[in-house]
């Protein structure tokens, strides 16, 4: 199995002293019967428009063309659409195009939504997360809402404050990993559900 995670710097764990981020923590709790390859393909400050323009070419060189290779795509959406002034309609269309192309390529997709960031952007990130969830749900693609459960979470907010209000630290990425692991991750991979705490 080859899993490509495409997204912004949050996909790589910026701010995590252990350099695991949520992706490393999720993979550490995922037990494959055969070795799996995970490729994190992140671009700092990237919007969904920029992600839509690059993801297919970047994943193509990592995905296998052999029929025995399972290719999986994780779309890790960040908050930069809000800061750049992208409309929610444009953001929805960008995600829809990514998921439709992945489906046409027979690549199973999994979407992780944007987590809370600066308080001033809270309502716009919430709206963006809801829109992304709708796009994924209409296509029957698993969606992890990281905004709603973390927006008022004391540990998340404390961790984010230590990172200047932009990036979480170890605790914050641990919370994101927990949400991914408890929102259909193992089922999406066709693996038995582990006991995840």
């Amino acid at each position: 199995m080859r899993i490509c995670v495409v997204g912004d710097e949050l996909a790589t764990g910026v701010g995590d002293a252990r350099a695991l981020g949520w992706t490393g923590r999720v993979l550490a709790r995922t037990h494959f019967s055969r070795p799996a390859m995970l490729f994190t393909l992140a671009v700092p400050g990237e919007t969904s428009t920029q992600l839509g323009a690059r993801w297919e070419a970047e994943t193509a060189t990592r995905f296998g063309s052999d029929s025995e290779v399972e290719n999986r795509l994780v779309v890790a959406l960040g908050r930069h659409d809000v800061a750049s002034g992208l409309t929610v309609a444009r953001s929805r269309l960008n995600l829809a195009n990514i998921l439709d192309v992945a489906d046409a390529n027979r690549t199973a997709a999994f979407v992780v939504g944007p987590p809370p960031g600066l308080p001033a952007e809270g309502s716009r990130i919430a709206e963006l997360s809801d829109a992304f969830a709708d796009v994924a749900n209409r296509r029957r693609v698993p969606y992890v809402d990281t905004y709603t459960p973390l927006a008022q979470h004391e540990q998340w907010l404390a961790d984010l404050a230590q990172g200047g209000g932009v990036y979480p630290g170890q605790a914050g990425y641990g919370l994101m990993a927990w949400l991914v692991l408890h929102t259909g991750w193992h089922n999406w991979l066709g693996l038995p559900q582990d006991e995840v705490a």
Side-chain angles (χ1 to χ4, degrees):
M1 184 175 294
R2 296 184 187 183
I3 304 168
C4 286
V5 180
V6 295
D8 69 4
E9 66 274 12
L10 288 171
T12 65
V14 170
D16 183 356
R18 290 188 166 187
L20 291 171
W22 67 263
T23 55
R25 286 172 171 79
V26 166
L27 200 62
R29 298 300 303 259
T30 307
H31 305 289
F32 297 92
S33 59
R34 294 176 25 195
M37 295 182 197
L38 177 80
F39 304 98
T40 303
L41 309 171
V43 173
E46 183 172 65
T47 66
S48 62
T49 301
Q50 294 162 324
L51 176 62
R54 74 164 175 98
W55 78 270
E56 192 175 10
E58 287 195 27
T59 59
T61 60
R62 288 150 179 100
F63 283 153
S65 57
D66 187 321
S67 63
E68 294 193 20
V69 175
E70 280 187 66
N71 298 316
R72 304 289 176 131
L73 177 70
V74 177
V75 182
L77 299 161
R79 307 175 291 231
H80 296 290
D81 283 13
V82 170
S84 70
L86 226 56
T87 66
V88 171
R90 171 51 63 188
S91 297
R92 286 178 61 95
L93 181 61
N94 291 336
L95 177 59
N97 288 337
I98 292 168
L99 297 180
D100 290 347
V101 171
D103 184 57
N105 292 340
R106 297 190 175 137
T107 302
F110 188 93
V111 180
V112 179
L118 297 171
E121 296 178 340
S123 63
R124 291 182 294 163
I125 297 171
E127 181 183 12
L128 186 63
S129 180
D130 289 345
F132 285 149
D134 182 57
V135 170
N137 291 334
R138 287 173 185 263
R139 286 160 178 76
R140 301 183 194 277
V141 171
Y143 180 81
V144 180
D145 174 7
T146 62
Y147 182 82
T148 305
L150 297 179
Q152 300 301 318
H153 194 287
E154 286 183 33
Q155 192 174 15
W156 172 267
L157 296 173
D159 208 43
L160 203 59
Q162 289 181 337
V166 180
Y167 301 119
Q170 293 181 48
Y173 284 114
L175 291 168
M176 289 181 72
W178 189 92
L179 290 169
V180 170
L181 288 166
H182 287 83
T183 313
W185 175 257
H186 289 91
N187 186 51
W188 175 67
L189 292 171
L191 300 173
Q193 177 69 36
D194 284 351
E195 292 298 319
V196 286

